[in-house]
Amino acid sequence: MRIVAFTQSLRSCWNHGNAHFLRGVLRELQALGHTVAAHEPEGSWSVENLLRDHGAAGLAASLAPYPELTALIDPPGFGQEHADSDADSGAALDAALDGADLVLVHEWNAPALVAGLGAARRKGGRFTLLFHDTHHRAVSEPAAMRAYDLSGYDGVLAFGETLAEVYRGWGWGNRVVVWHEAADTRLFRPPAVEGPREGLVWIGNWGDGERSAELEHFLFGPAARAGLPLDVWGVRYPDEALATLRRSGARYRGWLPNARAPEIFARHLATVHVPRRFYVESLPGIPTIRVFEALACGIPLVSAPWRDSEALFTPGSDFLVAPDGAAMERHLRDLANDPGLRAGLAAHGLRTIRAGHTCAHRAAELLAVAERLRR
């Protein structure tokens, strides 16, 4: 089968968590014998920010652990709808789709490209065309998402049941499928040899203030009160965020190529999950990829509250849940002082990931969805 993926970026994981998942899934599809082509636009927002902060070396480090994958860079205007006056653009899109059996389109692509791909499907494309939504904009900015022309698409892949319900409300019925993120266990795994571990680590982006209060309540404050050193990795930390870290005694480490996360996890006793507000209040049941990746690395995890409405995990066994800051502090102290507790959580979480939440599982699910829609 020939599979073509249109991504916001495959090369860069700068503030682009879905790159982690797409890389893992595409690699698993290749391992199954399928041919994969991945496209991204020239001047991608994630790539441009990574180049600005870390130059060409940073961009090379982002994709280096995936030698099997190559990103095809599309010029501006690529993929305009076939009715567009730019004939060259239409011809280039036809060439990219030539021989395709399955086409996967991530939601951060330009609306013109999304529409152009749908038009190509309507005009006789013999591939299955799927829209892949991995964000909260369907509830936080519904008008922006409804503006996408998906009339030529065969189905929607939503990364959680509550998001799928939004699309069902928009008329997609059984053509919307829940396709959770997962861990790339070819990369995310426990260290081959255990070394010394110390303190806490948090890997995540500050972003647009969607969880700044939650981070102070569930991470910075409890870590400081528990007397545990805290390393923070991520991007988009404004001056006020850096000042907050300094006040709490946390050490800001900057951007981390996602492929290095396993080695960073391996140096620490535990990590913390603080979900963004939209996923707690409006899209419950969606953990985001950081939970999958941490558990796959065998590091104990403590989470701020979120409702696992789809029973993906076993809270209390796969990870601990802290309903408030005081409970988070108690959990962190317990983990620091109880090697048995740490070992039990790490082992249980790792088993859960390997049993059903790897990119290999998701690749098989994707192929099954495509087959059902073709029929």
Side-chain angles (χ1 to χ4, degrees), residues 2-368:
R2 181 168 188 264
I3 301 166
V4 183
F6 290 88
T7 71
Q8 194 260 80
S9 179
L10 192 74
R11 294 178 296 162
S12 173
C13 57
W14 194 100
N15 200 74
H16 177 34
N18 195 248
H20 317 178
F21 177 59
L22 285 175
R23 291 166 176 175
V25 168
L26 295 180
R27 187 155 62 169
E28 294 296 342
L29 291 167
Q30 285 182 326
L32 292 172
H34 301 289
T35 300
V36 168
H39 289 254
E40 67 175 75
E42 181 182 335
S44 157
W45 177 81
S46 180
V47 168
E48 290 301 304
N49 278 282
L50 179 53
L51 287 171
R52 184 199 63 206
D53 286 357
H54 299 280
L59 185 58
S62 181
L63 196 58
Y66 305 87
E68 311 95 323
L69 299 178
T70 301
L72 302 170
I73 314 303
D74 297 326
F78 177 87
Q80 297 291 325
E81 196 168 1
H82 281 197
D84 193 280
S85 59
D86 185 352
D88 290 340
S89 173
L93 181 61
D94 286 339
L97 297 173
D98 186 39
D101 301 290
L102 173 62
V103 178
L104 186 65
V105 185
H106 190 239
E107 98 277 342
W108 275 110
N109 278 289
L113 174 60
V114 173
L117 288 162
R121 176 73 175 95
R122 286 195 307 271
K123 294 178 179 179
R126 303 187 65 179
F127 48 85
T128 301
L129 182 61
L130 300 177
F131 186 71
H132 182 205
D133 195 341
T134 62
H135 202 263
H136 57 59
R137 288 188 300 159
V139 294
S140 61
E141 301 177 56
M145 294 307 296
R146 294 297 298 272
Y148 280 100
D149 180 5
L150 303 182
S151 58
Y153 283 65
D154 296 289
V156 170
L157 301 169
F159 78 147
E161 176 59 32
T162 51
L163 182 60
E165 276 297 311
V166 173
Y167 278 93
R168 292 187 190 110
W170 292 348
W172 283 88
N174 65 0
R175 292 188 299 134
V176 57
V177 178
V178 176
W179 196 44
H180 286 288
E181 294 180 312
D184 178 2
T185 50
R186 293 176 184 265
L187 183 64
F188 285 82
R189 56 184 184 269
V193 178
E194 277 289 341
R197 291 176 179 256
E198 180 186 22
L200 304 175
V201 61
W202 191 73
I203 303 174
N205 305 321
W206 188 270
D208 302 312
E210 292 180 5
R211 56 181 166 190
S212 53
E214 291 87 343
L215 286 170
E216 290 203 53
H217 185 69
F218 285 103
L219 180 60
F220 306 142
R225 293 192 299 273
L228 290 171
L230 170 62
D231 289 317
V232 174
W233 298 81
V235 299
R236 300 179 69 197
Y237 282 72
D239 289 342
E240 59 268 27
L242 297 176
T244 298
L245 266 63
R246 286 192 295 270
R247 286 195 304 271
S248 68
R251 298 172 294 204
Y252 178 59
R253 302 298 194 184
W255 174 70
L256 180 73
N258 191 56
R260 289 191 56 211
E263 72 179 74
I264 301 301
F265 283 141
R267 300 175 192 170
H268 294 82
L269 293 174
T271 189
V272 173
H273 174 54
V274 183
R276 295 180 185 273
R277 206 167 300 150
F278 273 110
Y279 295 122
V280 174
E281 297 175 354
S282 302
L283 291 173
I286 300 177
T288 73
I289 199 167
R290 296 290 185 188
V291 173
F292 297 107
E293 292 179 340
L295 297 183
C297 289
I299 185 171
L301 172 71
V302 189
S303 179
W306 65 280
R307 180 155 41 96
D308 185 13
S309 55
E310 297 182 61
L312 300 173
F313 304 105
T314 305
S317 297
D318 290 326
F319 53 82
L320 302 177
V321 180
D324 53 40
M328 177 66 76
E329 180 184 346
R330 289 195 299 273
H331 285 324
L332 295 179
R333 289 183 185 275
D334 289 344
L335 284 170
N337 296 317
D338 190 342
L341 175 61
R342 295 197 302 270
L345 284 171
H348 204 286
L350 181 59
R351 284 197 300 272
T352 296
I353 294 298
R354 289 177 172 174
H357 300 308
T358 71
C359 286
H361 290 106
R362 299 300 184 257
E365 292 166 8
L366 175 63
L367 296 174

